[in-house]
Amino acid sequence: MNRPRYVPDEPIAAIATALAPGAIGIVRASGKNSITLFSRIFSRAEAVMRAPGNSLVHGWIVNPALPEKERRIDEVMAAVYRSPRSFTGEDMVEIFCHGGISVVTAVFSLLLENGFRKAERGEFTFRAYVNGKTDLTRAEAVKEIIDSKTDSSRSRAAGRLCGSLFNQIDSVKKLILDTLSAIEVEIEYPEDEETVSDSFDPSFLEQAQKQLSDLASSWRAEKIYQDGAKVVLCGKTNAGKSSLFNSLLKEERAIVSSTEGTTRDWLESWADFSGIPVRLFDTAGIRSTDDAVEAKGVELAKDLSAGADVILYLVDASAGISADDISFMESHPAVPLILVLNKCDKAEISNVTEMKKAWRETAAVSAKSGAGIESLILKIKKLILGTEFTEREQAGLGSERQKNSVEEALERITHALEISRTASYGLDAVVQDLEDALASLGEVTGEVSPDDVLETIFSRFCVGK
């Protein structure tokens, strides 16, 4: 992959809104002399040059290279930000123009013709980072918010953007630094220079170990909230899969018919399952068929089921469970599976109770009336999250990069505690472990980060952010 090459201070510009017709389009610019360069294409040049930071100036974007009658491009509002009180920490201008594609591209092209270069992916956020306006945990949270698929995933990312993860890491670092200070005293005034056993209070390190362990374990759930889970609807023909698919989506996406084999291919859509983004699949009915197209759909259903995070296997509760149903459910031991007894409103209560004994995870619903749907969603959420089902009040990790660095720090803290309880190591061994732990935590927040790591992180952002 070709990584972007970021050059601080250079005047840069980018279109910051989707390039599609809309009410407003935004073009942003940042860098050394960016306000002066912008004034060359603004009808009220002196007004924008005199404008204080965090202010708006009304005027026209003009092309000075054209005849006077043809110069005006669009009537705009220009937001002026002055260093260091801006998102990037540099002088900035954001141009609010009309949202037509032609207008936005014309304004952007004019900036490029007058001293700006096209911004790389994530370059505005990169400059905010290098200028001390943000740390890496907050910077990564910006992309998380943009990519969030549910209110819960957005809220978790917003917590990191507010500094929850940075503060948690900072708290752990303080515990480590306090321990190092105590060790320094012991080194200066030792009672026994040969051992570290009982030479300092390990309680701070034990607190740090617990906090890092909690952070490391948070990644599994956070990744699910970011990337989503795959839930596949399976079952025989006419079990009600398409009806349940529509009910879970709260919209009519799949064709519902009493004719067997109506769904011959799979349908897919994103859904919000109590805050978890879910890719929900409706599949062809499981049965033997001579129809080549339908048979292909059945095979696809089996393949999708094998790669699912949760399978919802539907049975018509009014018809009962067959040996083929049990055979299919038992053929997927590695995937969590919920036996969904559909049309429960048409079945005898005693029969539904008896059928629930056929599988460890069951749910009784009516896809037509919506009965039992919320309970089913909660059950799915519990299966997806597992031990992480309880909502966290503390900060969680936002990327695998953060997880790896936290695990490295946890490993060093754990080792430091282990050797502190023996009589065969000197204090310098503990100090080395703690310094390594601090370095790993510095990678999380960006205090210590190689250039290639930074380029990889910011190259995943969209242009203009």
Side-chain angles (χ1 to χ4, degrees):
M1 182 179 77
N2 293 324
R3 293 198 183 103
R5 304 302 301 178
Y6 301 115
V7 181
D9 293 333
E10 273 189 358
I12 57 172
I15 299 171
T17 48
L19 198 55
I24 295 175
I26 301 175
V27 182
R28 64 189 337 198
S30 180
K32 188 175 182 180
N33 297 324
S34 59
I35 298 174
T36 301
L37 293 174
F38 169 71
S39 70
R40 298 175 183 173
I41 62 168
F42 192 63
S43 62
R44 300 177 61 205
E46 292 186 7
V48 82
M49 289 297 294
R50 293 195 308 267
N54 305 313
S55 64
L56 290 170
V57 182
H58 169 261
W60 282 78
I61 298 295
V62 295
N63 187 344
L66 295 177
E68 188 169 348
K69 291 184 178 180
E70 303 175 15
R71 285 183 181 180
R72 292 189 174 186
I73 305 297
D74 190 26
E75 187 178 20
V76 304
M77 295 296 294
V80 178
Y81 309 94
R82 296 191 180 275
S83 172
R85 299 185 64 184
S86 71
F87 174 70
T88 62
E90 305 171 327
D91 285 350
M92 287 186 68
V93 177
E94 288 183 333
I95 305 160
F96 300 88
C97 58
H98 292 94
I101 295 175
S102 175
V103 173
V104 173
T105 53
V107 173
F108 176 55
S109 298
L110 203 53
L111 288 173
L112 299 185
E113 293 169 9
N114 284 272
F116 293 90
R117 69 164 170 82
K118 181 179 178 180
E120 299 282 358
R121 286 179 174 270
E123 189 164 8
F124 289 91
T125 310
F126 172 79
R127 292 189 176 193
Y129 163 70
V130 297
N131 289 325
K133 305 298 289 186
T134 189
D135 67 283
L136 275 191
T137 65
R138 291 182 175 92
E140 287 177 296
V142 170
K143 186 175 187 301
E144 290 177 51
I145 286 182
I146 293 171
D147 295 340
S148 60
K149 300 177 180 68
T150 67
D151 286 343
S152 291
S153 55
R154 173 197 49 75
S155 177
R156 286 166 176 258
R160 284 183 280 276
L161 184 60
C162 288
S164 62
L165 179 56
F166 177 87
N167 293 335
Q168 185 75 26
I169 294 296
D170 201 48
S171 172
V172 174
K173 288 168 62 178
K174 185 177 186 304
L175 292 170
I176 297 172
L177 289 169
D178 287 346
T179 303
L180 280 171
S181 297
I183 291 175
E184 290 295 332
V185 173
E186 183 64 26
I187 291 175
E188 290 294 327
Y189 307 100
E191 294 182 6
D192 184 349
E193 295 183 0
E194 300 301 320
T195 70
V196 297
S197 181
D198 299 325
S199 60
F200 67 92
D201 183 357
S203 62
F204 285 168
L205 290 188
E206 290 168 353
Q207 292 178 49
Q209 182 186 44
K210 175 64 167 59
Q211 291 184 34
L212 290 177
S213 179
D214 289 345
L215 272 178
S217 66
S218 74
W219 170 237
R220 180 182 175 276
E222 295 295 336
K223 183 174 174 59
I224 290 170
Y225 277 100
Q226 288 179 21
D227 298 342
K230 182 178 178 181
V231 176
V232 178
L233 302 177
C234 289
K236 289 183 176 180
T237 55
N238 273 3
K241 297 183 299 299
S242 295
S243 294
L244 181 59
F245 183 77
N246 291 338
S247 185
L248 289 169
L249 293 179
K250 298 181 176 64
E251 62 177 286
E252 297 295 320
R253 281 291 308 277
I255 298 174
V256 177
S257 171
S258 59
T259 303
E260 291 189 351
T262 300
T263 304
R264 299 159 70 87
D265 198 357
W266 52 266
L267 295 176
E268 173 189 358
S269 185
W270 281 102
D272 182 343
F273 279 17
S274 190
I276 293 180
V278 165
R279 287 173 64 203
L280 186 64
F281 293 83
D282 178 24
T283 63
I286 306 296
R287 68 169 181 171
S288 298
T289 176
D290 294 329
D291 186 309
V293 177
E294 186 181 353
K296 180 63 175 177
V298 172
E299 289 303 312
L300 286 172
K302 293 177 179 178
D303 291 342
L304 283 169
S305 299
D309 293 298
V310 174
I311 297 173
L312 303 182
Y313 189 84
L314 268 70
V315 169
D316 183 342
S318 62
I321 300 174
S322 69
D324 289 340
D325 293 325
I326 297 296
S327 176
F328 181 91
M329 292 190 293
E330 291 179 344
S331 68
H332 294 79
V335 182
L337 186 149
I338 300 175
L339 171 60
V340 182
L341 303 173
N342 191 27
K343 307 179 186 179
C344 62
D345 51 336
K346 296 182 179 181
E348 294 290 338
I349 294 176
S350 58
N351 291 341
V352 172
T353 302
E354 187 64 27
M355 282 186 285
K356 284 185 176 181
K357 298 177 182 178
W359 198 253
R360 56 187 173 274
E361 292 286 352
T362 62
V365 305
S366 170
K368 186 175 182 180
S369 70
I373 297 299
E374 291 304 319
S375 177
L376 173 61
I377 288 175
L378 184 62
K379 192 179 290 286
I380 296 168
K381 181 177 181 179
K382 286 182 178 179
L383 277 181
I384 292 172
L385 292 179
T387 57
E388 292 293 318
F389 175 71
T390 303
E391 296 293 334
R392 289 176 55 85
E393 294 183 0
Q394 299 85 6
L397 297 175
S399 69
E400 190 164 4
R401 179 195 71 82
Q402 295 170 6
K403 178 189 78 81
N404 292 337
S405 294
V406 165
E407 286 182 341
E408 289 172 4
L410 176 60
E411 182 181 351
R412 302 323 307 162
I413 294 293
T414 300
H415 187 257
L417 282 168
E418 288 173 354
I419 64 176
S420 71
R421 299 184 182 110
T422 71
S424 55
Y425 290 91
L427 285 171
D428 57 335
V430 177
V431 169
Q432 184 62 58
D433 275 334
L434 299 187
E435 290 178 346
D436 290 344
L438 286 173
S440 295
L441 295 178
E443 291 179 1
V444 176
T445 57
E447 294 170 75
V448 182
S449 289
D451 289 343
D452 59 338
V453 172
L454 295 178
E455 290 171 0
T456 299
I457 291 171
F458 290 102
S459 66
R460 295 170 181 161
F461 283 52
C462 56
V463 174
K465 194 55 187 169

